[in-house]
Amino acid sequence: MSLDTPQTDSVSSQRRSSRSGGRAARRAARAAKLSDDIRPIRPGMSGGVYKPLTEADVARIHEAALTALETIGLADAPPSGIKIMTDAGAILGDDGRLRYPRSLVEDMLAKACKDVTLMGRDPRHDLDLSGTRVHYGTAGAAVSMVDVAGNAYRDSTLQDLHDAARITDVLDNIHFLQRPMVARDILDNLEMDLNTIYACAAGTTKHIGTSFSDPSHMPECLEMLYMIAGGEDAYRARPFMSNSNCFVVPPMKFATESCETMEACIRGGMPVLLLSAGMSGATAPSTTAGAIVQAVAECLAGVVYVNAMAPGHPAIFGTWPFGLDLRTGAMTVGSGEQALLTAGCAQMHAFYGLPGGAAGGASDSKMPDMQAGWEQMCSNVMAGLSGCNMVYEAAGMHASLLGFCHESLILGDDLIGQAQRCVRGIEVDDETLALDQMAEVCLGTPDKPAPGHYLGTDRTLSHMERDCVYPALGNRMSPKEWAENDRPVLVEGATARKEAILATRSGARFDAALDGALRARFNIHLPA
């Protein structure tokens, strides 16, 4: 029922009163950005109410992971990693595999940093990863961009990456930027790594995550980060960029060069994401529980690695098992099984008391269509309700991680807003139970007759902004209003907002002196 159709005289009178009593002012207030104390949703709200695993299930997964580390272990650690971990108590077998006594894992868990804050260049965007606080952001290494106008795909470029950072910077519900696509127009890998740092940092002051293609690139990449921060000490005090590190190649093997990169990042003061991304049924067990066991075991090996090298270094427990369509071999990142994998992993993060991250919000659909909507919402809601600290790939990702879409990133801001409202949950207290309001509306008071409805009451108006999340692009018009407004199309609205964002200068851009120094030192491919 549209509120533009009064149902009773009293309702009509109330609505006329609300129009004459400041409706335009209220609309202007709603259009303005809300302060954090009023916003119904905000970064870092606590989830954890959804628990697909029982306490007994969690304990069994933990025990199975410890057994896997003791008896199977991991292969292919670099010589430096072997020394770091064997010096701490890991055992190198004749088969070249490192095995981990339970006592070693428990000791390193005790040393691990439990209260990690990922910094933004602007402190307003700092992310507190303690407890079950939830944050949503981008991630991935898509090689293509979704062209919604042409219903087609094309190679992703450095400009696309910079534009994604600029869009992320102004979206309230995208809390961090992890590099979502590869700059395929830069052929030299070192220049690609350096320009990825530049394009992201010049586009957003939120926390940034990125990968590095070779450990030999780290000295120059760290040099650039130190320059942006204002010096090495300044970066180490507030590391605004972290390393997303696929330190393992499932099943149960280290990625040698990635481990060497991780060691360089740790030495350089950079937080790390310990990322295990097994494919259920291919590089991880086909069962949901088994895939979680392997991801947990691999990430526990990462906890040993990091804390044997630098006790308490900030590291995120990145269990990212993915689903697989066993009929075709296609990834199923938009499936219910994926949502369960992520939610179960979040429970394991909470069990260890470690900051954790997992994948949620990606789609197998090729375009931002109805399939993309149901897939993105399903895993984003479940990840948030389970209390996942960092929900990666939460917006913009299509085609089972092969494509990224700027319009979908913008639409994802609306979608994640609704997911966060689910995370916030229901507050029950004397005010929200509303018995006094019910009495006033139904019975009235000696000096005021019962209105018989709640429209326009002080309580309704005072709660409408702090209790409800209103979509920026999602359409709630009646069919009549929709037709009168030229039948707006959701994706076209997202394209218009993208163009408006990119038509203004980035608020994160570097000052002229710093930008000049960076361009003098490095080969920056983006135009000045």
Side-chain angles (χ1 to χ4, degrees):
M1 178 181 70
S2 170
L3 293 184
D4 285 335
T5 306
Q7 299 301 302
T8 66
D9 289 343
S10 62
V11 172
S12 179
S13 174
Q14 178 66 53
R15 295 192 72 255
R16 281 195 298 271
S17 174
S18 72
R19 286 195 189 101
S20 61
R23 187 175 188 184
R26 288 195 299 275
R27 280 180 168 172
R30 288 198 296 272
K33 195 175 182 66
L34 297 175
S35 61
D36 285 344
D37 61 322
I38 294 176
R39 287 185 64 197
I41 53 174
R42 57 187 62 90
M45 294 187 303
S46 292
V49 296
Y50 174 59
K51 298 180 179 180
L53 301 171
T54 66
E55 289 185 10
D57 294 337
V58 170
R60 291 191 69 182
I61 288 173
H62 169 61
E63 286 298 317
L66 291 180
T67 299
L69 289 173
E70 274 193 320
T71 61
I72 301 170
L74 278 76
D76 296 346
S80 54
I82 290 173
K83 177 169 174 49
I84 289 167
M85 287 182 275
T86 54
D87 283 352
I91 300 167
L92 181 63
D94 293 338
D95 56 0
R97 302 184 75 88
L98 282 169
R99 292 176 174 85
Y100 302 83
R102 292 175 180 232
S103 58
L104 172 61
V105 177
E106 291 164 355
D107 288 347
M108 294 303 167
L109 282 169
K111 294 179 180 180
C113 184
K114 305 297 194 300
D115 296 318
V116 172
T117 297
L118 294 179
M119 312 291 187
R121 277 176 55 221
D122 185 334
R124 292 185 303 112
H125 299 310
D126 289 358
L127 307 177
D128 177 359
L129 306 190
S130 61
T132 55
R133 297 177 183 275
V134 179
H135 308 86
Y136 291 91
T138 64
V143 294
S144 300
M145 289 297 297
V146 178
D147 173 11
V148 295
N151 196 37
Y153 276 56
R154 61 170 175 78
D155 286 353
S156 52
T157 68
L158 184 68
Q159 185 65 53
D160 293 325
L161 178 59
H162 181 54
D163 290 346
R166 292 182 60 193
I167 294 167
T168 293
D169 197 54
V170 302
L171 298 180
D172 286 342
N173 301 321
I174 310 298
H175 305 141
F176 61 92
L177 176 83
Q178 185 161 305
R179 178 217 59 191
M181 84 280 286
V182 178
R184 297 186 67 187
D185 53 338
I186 301 181
L187 301 181
D188 181 87
N189 284 338
L190 173 58
E191 290 198 3
M192 182 182 69
D193 286 350
L194 290 165
N195 276 271
T196 294
I197 294 172
Y198 181 95
C200 291
T204 183
T205 59
K206 296 180 180 180
H207 184 79
I208 300 165
T210 192
S211 299
F212 303 103
S213 53
D214 192 276
S216 67
H217 299 173
M218 290 312 303
E220 287 180 83
C221 289
L222 287 169
E223 181 185 353
M224 176 179 278
L225 288 170
Y226 297 159
M227 287 179 66
I228 294 171
E232 180 175 349
D233 290 345
Y235 176 80
R236 288 180 179 274
R238 291 190 55 83
F240 61 86
M241 184 173 287
S242 57
N243 173 223
S244 173
N245 195 286
C246 294
F247 74 107
V248 288
V249 180
M252 304 294 281
K253 294 191 295 183
F254 286 106
T256 305
E257 288 189 353
S258 292
C259 289
E260 293 170 344
T261 297
M262 181 178 71
E263 292 176 20
C265 289
I266 292 170
R267 288 191 294 269
M270 184 180 293
V272 294
L273 165 64
L274 299 167
L275 203 164
S276 162
M279 294 281 294
S280 181
T283 58
S286 60
T287 60
T288 300
I292 294 173
V293 167
Q294 181 178 296
V296 167
E298 290 168 344
C299 286
L300 285 175
V303 169
V304 173
Y305 201 153
V306 170
N307 289 282
M309 179 180 175
H313 186 83
I316 299 168
F317 202 78
T319 47
W320 287 33
F322 288 108
L324 192 71
D325 188 323
L326 296 175
R327 303 168 304 174
T328 63
M331 289 183 72
T332 57
V333 298
S335 65
E337 293 86 2
Q338 181 64 58
L340 285 167
L341 282 167
T342 293
C345 286
Q347 276 189 263
M348 299 309 299
H349 309 160
F351 173 75
Y352 294 116
L354 295 175
S363 174
D364 301 309
S365 178
K366 310 307 173 284
M367 289 284 156
D369 53 16
M370 185 173 178
Q371 177 186 338
W374 84 59
E375 290 177 338
Q376 292 166 339
M377 182 58 105
C378 178
S379 57
N380 270 328
V381 167
M382 286 176 63
L385 292 179
S386 64
C388 188
N389 294 135
M390 299 285 283
V391 186
Y392 296 95
E393 298 174 334
M397 192 62 74
H398 287 268
S400 308
L401 312 185
L402 293 176
F404 189 81
C405 177
H406 288 143
E407 285 82 358
S408 188
L409 174 62
I410 290 169
L411 293 172
D413 189 56
D414 262 3
L415 185 151
I416 291 169
Q418 302 303 317
Q420 286 185 100
R421 186 60 187 88
C422 297
V423 172
R424 175 179 158 184
I426 302 170
E427 295 85 15
V428 178
D429 54 33
D430 288 345
E431 182 177 1
T432 61
L433 289 170
L435 281 172
D436 58 337
Q437 189 182 13
M438 292 167 63
E440 179 184 341
V441 164
C442 297
L443 302 177
T445 62
D447 59 344
K448 183 179 180 182
H453 64 85
Y454 297 89
L455 296 173
T457 64
D458 290 342
R459 189 79 61 85
T460 297
L461 293 174
S462 68
H463 277 263
M464 65 179 293
E465 297 295 343
R466 65 184 64 212
D467 281 357
C468 301
V469 176
Y470 300 98
L473 291 171
N475 192 314
R476 292 173 174 173
M477 297 175 184
S478 70
K480 181 175 181 293
E481 291 173 302
W482 174 75
E484 291 171 348
N485 284 274
D486 297 325
R487 299 175 177 84
V489 176
L490 192 61
V491 172
E492 291 177 359
T495 299
R497 186 165 188 213
K498 176 189 75 172
E499 291 172 351
I501 292 169
L502 299 180
T504 61
R505 294 190 69 190
S506 168
R509 64 188 182 275
F510 305 129
D511 65 51
L514 174 57
D515 194 62
L518 290 168
R519 291 177 181 277
R521 173 65 183 85
F522 305 102
N523 183 19
I524 301 302
H525 288 234
L526 285 174

